[in-house]
Amino acid sequence: MSVIPFERRRRRSTNTFEAIKMQLEYILEQQGLKNFTLGDERGLLVAHAGRADDAHVLAAYAPVIANCHDKAAYYDVLDGVKSHVPEITAENVAFRTFEVEGHPLHLIIHGEAGRLAQSDVYRAVNGVKRILGESAQVAA
C-alpha cells in the first residue's frame, strides 16, 4: 500500500507573486483582517490581500516607518498614513521588516484592534520566505 503525503495547501500557484498573494489572502480570511501588504525597501507594493488602494499607501509608508527610531516619529508618520487610510490607528496596524536574500521587505497588517496576533505575522513572514526561497531555487 502506498501512502500519498497530505497536502495542506489547497490552492497553489507556480507564479511567485500569485503564491504570495494567496498566502496573504488565506491568513486575511482566516483571521478576519482588513489588509495584508508586502512592500519592498523602495516603498513599492510586492503583494497584498485586501483593498489595493490601501495596500499601495501602506507599502509606500512602510520604509519610512521602518526607519522610525522612537514613538514620536512613528506617530507622526502614522498620521500621514491616516490621511490616506483614515481607519488606521496605532492599535489596529502592525509593521514588520524582514530580509530575504539581503533585501528588506516590509509586512503591514491592518485589522481590528486586539485581533492582530503575532502568529499571523509569523505565518505570513515564514510563508513569504518559503515562497521566495522556492522561486530562487527554481531560478538557480
Side-chain angles (χ1 to χ4, degrees), residues 61 66 69 74:
Y61 274 97
H69 299 293
Y74 172 74

Side-chain angles (χ1 to χ4, degrees), residues 20 38-41 46 66-67 95-107 121-122 124-134 136:
I20 291 171
L38 181 67
D40 69 10
E41 71 271 16
V46 174
N67 287 314
F95 293 85
R96 296 294 179 270
T97 298
F98 61 100
E99 288 190 7
V100 174
E101 296 188 10
H103 298 283
L105 293 173
H106 307 287
L107 184 67
V121 176
Y122 178 80
V125 168
N126 284 330
V128 168
K129 284 183 173 182
R130 176 185 51 76
I131 292 165
L132 289 175
E134 288 173 359

Side-chain angles (χ1 to χ4, degrees), residues 12-80:
R12 297 187 76 144
S13 176
T14 56
N15 177 293
T16 301
F17 297 105
E18 182 65 25
I20 291 171
K21 181 176 177 70
M22 289 167 50
Q23 166 77 16
L24 298 179
E25 285 174 345
Y26 177 77
I27 298 170
L28 180 107
E29 292 166 8
Q30 291 293 310
Q31 300 304 320
L33 301 170
K34 295 179 181 182
N35 200 301
F36 237 137
T37 299
L38 181 67
D40 69 10
E41 71 271 16
R42 299 168 295 167
L44 299 176
L45 182 63
V46 174
H48 78 283
R51 290 181 40 196
D53 291 346
D54 292 354
H56 283 282
V57 170
L58 294 170
Y61 274 97
V64 179
I65 289 172
N67 287 314
C68 290
H69 299 293
D70 60 50
K71 285 197 181 245
Y74 172 74
Y75 288 120
D76 285 345
V77 174
L78 202 56
D79 284 342

